Structure formats: structure tokens, C-alpha cells
């Protein structure tokens, strides 16, 4: 059994056994690999966002939270590649990390044959673009968490003139345009609403303070007449 098939099988095995815990030794014997290989595979699945939990000691083992996983999906290889293309466009967005873990979950929930076919088809797709600008990878993740948890965030920001400032802001929403992603927030330094290009945020740190709730629509009341703001919809 190759590694891709084994990773899929491990997820399905743990899903079927949940909530019972399964030891690494049991899994190693079932798939005829070493305990170390099982531990390495479980670690890779956890990093991909699969909710596998481990207990150490006698009677311990691995278990999977069924409520947070997908059952086997009937995605065709072409549909999986289409989703991968869409998610790949999230690079540089506040949700780029979540896009990667979402794709890993989708692939892990597909059958082994469909997953292999999807990977083969994906190898025939290429993207042409400039090298990465080297934006710190932690910045999008911090901004994402700031909006989700409504926490005040301290930004080190480079404005259009190249001047660097540090300011505490209350995050409200994200907006995407052809030029990139923007964070709309209440800026305590300026005492009003400000829009920050996320690729100009050099550092971002969450503070312990919860920001007051602000209406999203009220923060987007001056859109140019030749533009339309559309919310993200699940259809």
C-alpha cells in the first residue's frame, strides 16, 4: 500500500472505530508498517487539519472527532481539481492557511483511486506569475484570527508613501478586489475607519482585548458609484 492510500485508510479506520481509541501498534500491525511510520503519518494528517487526538500511556491511542470530518465524498477528479484551482487563488489572502487545510481534508475524504486520479490531473495544471513577494506567512493567519475572534490587533503598516506606522485597530471585515485583499477596521490611532492593504502589513500581533462590535455595512458606506460590494455567498 502506498502512502497516499495508507493516509486515506488511516482516516477511515479511525472514523469507523471512533470514539474508541486505536493504538499506534494496532495500526502498524494492520497496515504492515512500523509504529514510527504510523506516528509520522498521523502527524502529517494532524498538520493537514484532520481532527485526530492522541492519548499517551496505557490504554491510550488515537481517535478521530467524527463531527468535524467529512465522510467519503463523491467528488470526481475534475471537480477536486476545480476546487484546488479555486483554493490556490487564495494565496496571499487572509484565508490562505485555511484554504490549504480545506483542500487536504477534501483529498483525504476522497476514495484512494479518485484521489490518485485527481493528483495526476492536477499535475497537468500550471500557473504563471511573478515570484512571491515574501510576505511574512504569519500575517494573514493573525488577521484571519483577529476577524474571527473580534480581537484588537496591533499592526506595523507601510502606507503608500513608504512610511511605517504602528497602530492598534479593531478588525471588522475583509474586502477583495483585483488589486488584492484589504482589511477594514476602526483605527484607534486615527479615530476612524481605515482600510489597510494586507500586503502592506509587515507585522501583526493579537492583543487580549475584544473589540466592540461594529456593523459591516456601516463600514462600507462610501463605495464608488461604479463599484458594487458583493458579500461572499455559499450556493
Amino acid at each position: 500500500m502506498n502512502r497516499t492510500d495508507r493516509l486515506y485508510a488511516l482516516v477511515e479506520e479511525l472514523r469507523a472505530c471512533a470514539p474508541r481509541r486505536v493504538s499506534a501498534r494496532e495500526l502498524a500491525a494492520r497496515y504492515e508498517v512500523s509504529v514510527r511510520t504510523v506516528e509520522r503519518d498521523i502527524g502529517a494528517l494532524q498538520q493537514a487539519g484532520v481532527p485526530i487526538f492522541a492519548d499517551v500511556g496505557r490504554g491510550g491511542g488515537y481517535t478521530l472527532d467524527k463531527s468535524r470530518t467529512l465522510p467519503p465524498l463523491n467528488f470526481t477528479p475534475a471537480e477536486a481539481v476545480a476546487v484546488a484551482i479555486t483554493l490556490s487563488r487564495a494565496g496571499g489572502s487572509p484565508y490562505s492557511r485555511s484554504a490549504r487545510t480545506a483542500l487536504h481534508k477534501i483529498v483525504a475524504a476522497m476514495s484512494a483511486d479518485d484521489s490518485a486520479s485527481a493528483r495526476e490531473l492536477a499535475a497537468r495544471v500550471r500557473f504563471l506569475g511573478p515570484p512571491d513577494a515574501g510576505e511574512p506567512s504569519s500575517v494573514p493567519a493573525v488577521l484571519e484570527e483577529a476577524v474571527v475572534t473580534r480581537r484588537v490587533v496591533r499592526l506595523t503598516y507601510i502606507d503608500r508613501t513608504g512610511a511605517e506606522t504602528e497602530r492598534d485597530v479593531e478588525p471588522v471585515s475583509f474586502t477583495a478586489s483585483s488589486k488584492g485583499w484589504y482589511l477594514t477596521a476602526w483605527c484607534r490611532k486615527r479615530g476612524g475607519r481605515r482600510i489597510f492593504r494586507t500586503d502592506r502589513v509587515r507585522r501583526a500581533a493579537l492583543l487580549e482585548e475584544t473589540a466592540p462590535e461594529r456593523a459591516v455595512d456601516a463600514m462600507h458606506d462610501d463605495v464608488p458609484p461604479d463599484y458594487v460590494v458583493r458579500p461572499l455567498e455559499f450556493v
Side-chain angles (χ1 to χ4, degrees), residues 70-195:
L70 296 169
L73 299 177
N74 293 321
F75 273 73
T76 67
E79 288 172 336
V81 170
V83 171
I85 290 172
T86 301
L87 293 178
S88 71
R89 297 298 188 182
S93 80
Y95 296 95
S96 56
R97 180 184 61 174
S98 296
R100 288 193 299 272
T101 59
L103 183 57
H104 282 300
K105 289 179 181 179
I106 289 172
V107 174
M110 294 174 67
S111 71
D113 288 343
D114 284 347
S115 175
S117 297
R119 291 178 188 278
E120 183 178 343
L121 182 57
R124 300 173 182 271
V125 178
R126 295 287 188 273
F127 294 99
L128 181 66
D132 292 337
E135 178 186 6
S137 59
S138 62
V139 167
V142 171
L143 296 182
E144 174 190 349
E145 186 174 354
V147 171
V148 170
T149 60
R150 216 174 76 231
R151 295 256 296 279
V152 178
V153 61
R154 180 162 294 161
L155 304 181
T156 300
Y157 189 73
I158 308 296
D159 66 20
R160 67 181 64 184
T161 68
E164 179 178 304
T165 59
E166 184 177 275
R167 58 187 80 195
D168 294 350
V169 304
E170 301 167 8
V172 177
S173 65
F174 291 115
T175 302
S177 76
S178 59
K179 296 181 179 179
W181 281 83
Y182 300 82
L183 171 69
T184 300
W186 183 268
C187 177
R188 292 182 172 179
K189 183 180 181 70
R190 304 303 184 193
R193 184 204 65 174
R194 290 294 185 272
I195 299 175

Side-chain angles (χ1 to χ4, degrees), residues 63-75:
T63 188
L64 182 144
D65 186 349
K66 283 186 174 182
S67 67
R68 295 177 57 199
T69 63
L70 296 169
L73 299 177
N74 293 321
F75 273 73

Side-chain angles (χ1 to χ4, degrees), residues 17-36:
C17 294
R20 182 176 73 84
R21 285 164 172 71
V22 184
S23 70
R25 190 174 299 278
E26 288 180 77
L27 294 170
R30 181 178 297 276
Y31 298 108
E32 300 180 342
V33 295
S34 68
V35 170
R36 185 176 179 82

